[in-house]
Amino acid sequence: MKRVFSALLLALLALAVLPSLVRADGFIIVTDGSVLPPRPGHPVYAPLEVSRHQVKVEIEGQVATTSVDQEFYNPASRVVEGTYFFPVPRDAQIAKFQLEIDGKWTDPELLDAAKARAIYEDIVRRQKDPALLEYANNRLYKARIFPIEPRSHKRVRISYREVLPQDFGALAYRYPLNTEKFSAAPLKNLSIEVEAKLDRAYGSVYSPSHAVKVTSEAGGKRFRASFEASNLRPDTDFELLFAAPVKGTGEAPLSLLAYRDPLGAADDDGYFVLFAAPPVGAGGKAQPAPKDVVFVLDTSGSMNGPKIEQARKALSFCVNNLNAGDRFDLIRFSSENEALFGKLEENSADSRKRALSFIDGLKAMGGTAIHDALQRALEMKGDSARPFVVIFLTDGLANIGPSKNDEILGMLRKRSGAGTRVFSFGIGHDVNTHLLDQIAEQTRAASTYVLPTEDLEVKLSNFFAKITEPVLTELKLDVTGGDGVRFTSLHPQTLPDLFAGDQLVLTGRFRGKGEAQVTLRGKRAGQEQEVALKVSFDAPRERDASREFIPRLWATRRVAFLLDEIRLRGDHKELREEVTVLARKFGLVTPYTAYLILEDEARRDVPPERRALSQLGKDAAARRVAESTFKELREEQTGANAVAGARGQALARSADRASDALIAQNSTVYGAKAAAPMAAPVVEAVKRAESYTANASRFVNGRAFYQNGSQWIDATIAARGKSETKNPPQRIAAGSDEYFALLRKHPEAGQWLALGNSLLIHLGGVDYEIH
């Protein structure tokens, strides 16, 4: 029992106290023997459950105060005693660390790194469980906890203060949430709320780890960022980055984080992520920039019923939310097209009244003449410098007039000039996804797909509310100065327009070094605007955990871009090879990359015991699912699978978090396949393929590992064919003196060794087999 509570409380405290940029967790080690039957895959010394975990953070300037309220449950039938451990990262600047247990404040003992490492190593030797090794290089807070009553809850509160690191316009906050291996059951309730009080309006607020909700107060000088969840096992620390505006004539303050792997070659290309967002509250300083909007609605016979009703309501919302100074028109099309005004009309009470009457009278009948309807809309643009937006809604395939993709896209290229954006909404499954996605690509816009179970009114209304106020259009990015600094492989490749309340997240690679100036240029109401930022692109002296998300985020978007090239423009060997290399290196296993990895491993004769996707490869039926899914990506333009593929690819192309994109893409693509009318064995094979894909890899401390049987395999080893492996790995027994000597030689390997006692890993140019 003691051991149970100790392990749990330790996990809690670790979670609460570590907003530093290095991973660490608090946890409780039960010290009086096992009190519950062991749970498969869970440390025997951590039998307590975390029932509640609330975090409140107050940031003033650059100082953050974190308060944590946690509740642990002892499911055992007797009293236990535990020891609470809280690992402190080497670079953490923590002050006023306080620990309260059941309403009583206690002063934990602080141990230096050497003493802390000795404690961890002793536990690992005795328990034969390497889970604690990720903390092996940290100082340690330690406190005794007794008694932990049977079948009861114990409340623990933590409070600490720290100075947040600031780097070229961005502040970073981190809170440890890696408690999966310490809580004996999923967390029932988790909430994190960050309130920041700044001396001026902030710019971007971004979480690379969680989908946070952000609200603003006090003209943008305060913000709240929150995250809530229930019944989950957190395995990722909570991170929040935010930027104050930098000086410039534009309204889109920049922040940029650059990353170059300190373990890589000195001339390796680095990675970066750039954030740009209008300061909250800035939009109220002036009238929104005027824009021109043409709504183009498919009223063919297939739109009859709920779809036309939802379209009427959605268009009415859009018309009623046009800004003063906007101009607009509406075009309905079926076998032919009809415009309300026949030109761009000023937004007024009278024009809106006429538009709403036109919308109420829409009826669904006839065929689908897409080419002529879009051509008529584009002819309205004229020479105005205003943003020109076409909102195009259709539920079918072109079947009247020019109907081939090349014919419609060719017309679009001729008639859409700078400033033209065509946002497409595909309604249902019977739409041409290749056409809609290429229309969006050509016009720097986006395509949205509305499933039969979804509400068009909600989707279109939310979209129009987002684009109602353009802040910067025609964006361009430049970098000058430094020692040969230049950007490559940007994603998105073409920068989208920036709207009030919106945020640009751009990823890319860079070459060169030194301090350079990054400049973002664009137009607002036809006037040139720019904002610049000085950034250092020098290689770091040591690993920076706060930036390790950057390469994987870039790779997620890069793989999505390459797969779209295959989907929209044809399959090529070079595209497949680059997708395979990136997907395997960064653990990006999706319904499409899974088959390419399998195909590549078979072609290069990778030994079966070292393959990345061994379970999927051994299951013939699931493997056929993977193969057919990739074939559908290349060949199907319409239907449920094509729409699911387009939606999944859009999620990955615009991903803000790699892990979220993987989950969403897997569920979207495999969900559509499983919902199709198929024999039960095929449905089961789809479900197994989804499970293999979702659980194949772990991305830890900047490196991917794949599970082959009971062994975890380093991605750098899994990538080799039989002829590429020259020397057998050095075998080292887990928990031996040689094992801990290896950890001291390669301290960065702590989180990797913590995966388990059966591991194939590459360190310092040598392969090691931990057994």
Side-chain angles (χ1 to χ4, degrees), residues 159-447:
S159 175
Y160 60 91
R161 187 176 299 153
E162 64 175 329
V163 177
L164 300 181
Q166 183 172 9
D167 193 0
F168 293 96
L171 288 169
Y173 173 85
R174 171 175 284 212
Y175 178 80
L177 275 179
N178 184 23
T179 57
E180 180 178 358
K181 57 183 169 290
F182 298 121
S183 179
L187 272 66
K188 293 181 180 179
N189 293 288
L190 169 66
S191 67
I192 301 175
E193 182 176 293
V194 180
E195 180 178 358
K197 300 176 182 178
L198 309 174
D199 58 1
R200 54 178 173 162
Y202 66 89
S204 303
V205 177
Y206 168 76
S207 173
S209 59
H210 294 78
V212 296
K213 178 182 178 181
V214 179
T215 57
S216 171
E217 300 175 2
K221 293 184 179 181
R222 295 184 183 181
F223 72 81
R224 294 177 186 269
S226 59
F227 173 80
E228 293 186 11
S230 58
N231 297 317
L232 78 163
R233 288 189 178 275
D235 60 356
T236 302
D237 292 346
F238 176 83
E239 297 179 74
L240 192 70
L241 307 174
F242 55 97
V246 296
K247 292 181 179 179
T249 60
E251 292 192 63
L254 295 181
S255 57
L256 185 148
L257 299 176
Y259 177 86
R260 183 179 269 131
D261 189 347
L263 301 179
D267 58 349
D268 283 354
D269 287 0
Y271 304 84
F272 74 87
V273 59
L274 176 145
F275 308 100
V280 173
K285 295 178 182 177
Q287 282 292 105
K291 61 185 180 295
D292 294 337
V293 185
V294 179
F295 302 96
V296 182
L297 175 64
D298 182 347
T299 57
S300 60
S302 58
M303 282 288 290
N304 196 33
K307 286 189 283 189
I308 196 71
E309 290 295 329
Q310 292 175 12
R312 289 192 193 106
K313 292 178 182 178
L315 289 177
S316 297
F317 173 88
C318 294
V319 168
N320 283 322
N321 282 274
L322 290 164
N323 294 326
D326 288 350
R327 300 183 301 188
F328 75 105
D329 199 0
L330 293 98
I331 298 174
R332 67 109 197 134
F333 75 96
S334 52
S335 301
E336 68 289 321
N337 63 72
E338 176 190 4
L340 170 59
F341 302 117
K343 62 183 181 66
L344 291 169
E345 187 76 10
E346 293 288 344
N347 175 28
S348 66
D350 179 64
S351 61
R352 289 196 301 273
K353 181 179 179 180
R354 292 175 61 190
L356 294 175
S357 177
F358 180 82
I359 292 169
D360 286 341
L362 293 173
K363 292 181 174 58
M365 62 181 69
T368 309
I370 289 176
H371 177 283
D372 291 352
L374 285 177
Q375 179 172 281
R376 185 165 188 179
L378 295 173
E379 288 172 348
M380 294 185 184
K381 183 178 188 304
D383 298 326
S384 172
R386 297 176 176 217
F388 181 71
V389 177
V390 176
I391 297 179
F392 172 53
L393 297 87
T394 182
D395 78 330
L397 307 175
N399 55 25
I400 292 181
S403 58
K404 294 180 181 180
N405 288 6
D406 289 345
E407 293 175 317
I408 297 172
L409 294 171
M411 177 275 297
L412 204 69
R413 276 191 294 273
K414 291 178 182 178
R415 297 188 176 275
S416 61
T420 298
R421 307 288 182 261
V422 181
F423 293 95
S424 299
F425 283 77
I427 306 165
H429 292 147
D430 298 325
V431 293
N432 187 336
T433 60
H434 286 203
L435 174 64
L436 299 188
D437 286 353
Q438 288 185 82
I439 288 175
E441 181 186 90
Q442 272 189 202
T443 62
R444 299 173 72 156
S447 49

Side-chain angles (χ1 to χ4, degrees), residues 489 491 554 558-559 561-562 572-584 596:
S489 300
H491 296 289
W554 171 83
R558 177 70 178 174
V559 166
F561 163 76
L562 295 170
H572 297 284
K573 177 185 175 183
E574 294 80 5
L575 296 176
R576 283 191 176 215
E577 289 178 349
E578 186 176 355
V579 167
T580 304
V581 168
L582 290 174
R584 182 166 41 222
L596 293 180

Side-chain angles (χ1 to χ4, degrees), residues 380-608:
M380 294 185 184
K381 183 178 188 304
D383 298 326
S384 172
R386 297 176 176 217
F388 181 71
V389 177
V390 176
I391 297 179
F392 172 53
L393 297 87
T394 182
D395 78 330
L397 307 175
N399 55 25
I400 292 181
S403 58
K404 294 180 181 180
N405 288 6
D406 289 345
E407 293 175 317
I408 297 172
L409 294 171
M411 177 275 297
L412 204 69
R413 276 191 294 273
K414 291 178 182 178
R415 297 188 176 275
S416 61
T420 298
R421 307 288 182 261
V422 181
F423 293 95
S424 299
F425 283 77
I427 306 165
H429 292 147
D430 298 325
V431 293
N432 187 336
T433 60
H434 286 203
L435 174 64
L436 299 188
D437 286 353
Q438 288 185 82
I439 288 175
E441 181 186 90
Q442 272 189 202
T443 62
R444 299 173 72 156
S447 49
T448 301
Y449 295 93
V450 186
L451 299 182
T453 56
E454 296 176 327
D455 192 325
L456 171 62
E457 179 188 358
V458 172
K459 286 235 174 182
L460 180 56
S461 300
N462 288 342
F463 163 79
F464 193 74
K466 174 184 173 183
I467 70 160
T468 188
E469 186 178 343
V471 174
L472 283 180
T473 62
E474 304 296 320
L475 294 182
K476 296 179 181 179
L477 186 70
D478 296 317
V479 59
T480 56
D483 184 3
V485 175
R486 66 187 182 93
F487 291 159
T488 63
S489 300
L490 301 182
H491 296 289
Q493 287 200 320
T494 303
L495 303 189
D497 297 335
L498 191 58
F499 299 91
D502 196 9
Q503 177 169 261
L504 170 66
V505 180
L506 174 71
T507 63
R509 305 292 305 270
F510 71 86
R511 295 175 182 170
K513 58 184 179 180
E515 186 173 273
Q517 178 169 292
V518 177
T519 304
L520 182 69
R521 295 182 173 86
K523 293 182 179 179
R524 177 176 172 83
Q527 300 298 312
E528 295 288 341
Q529 306 279 317
E530 72 173 43
V531 61
L533 177 69
K534 292 284 188 180
V535 179
S536 173
F537 292 93
D538 287 333
R541 296 180 180 177
E542 58 184 26
R543 206 173 194 98
D544 185 349
S546 71
R547 301 189 180 195
E548 288 180 349
F549 75 92
I550 299 174
R552 196 180 191 216
L553 179 60
W554 171 83
T556 301
R557 293 183 172 193
R558 177 70 178 174
V559 166
F561 163 76
L562 295 170
L563 287 173
D564 262 351
E565 289 295 300
I566 293 173
R567 179 171 73 99
L568 300 176
R569 279 172 274 278
D571 199 353
H572 297 284
K573 177 185 175 183
E574 294 80 5
L575 296 176
R576 283 191 176 215
E577 289 178 349
E578 186 176 355
V579 167
T580 304
V581 168
L582 290 174
R584 182 166 41 222
K585 178 179 180 180
F586 290 99
L588 303 174
V589 185
T590 74
Y592 306 123
T593 63
Y595 174 69
L596 293 180
I597 292 173
L598 286 175
E599 180 187 60
D600 176 71
E601 290 179 334
R603 178 180 59 80
R604 293 188 299 106
D605 196 23
V606 175

Side-chain angles (χ1 to χ4, degrees), residues 609-621:
E609 67 275 9
R610 293 192 180 185
R611 294 192 177 185
L613 303 180
S614 60
Q615 284 185 295
L616 181 59
K618 293 174 183 177
D619 187 329

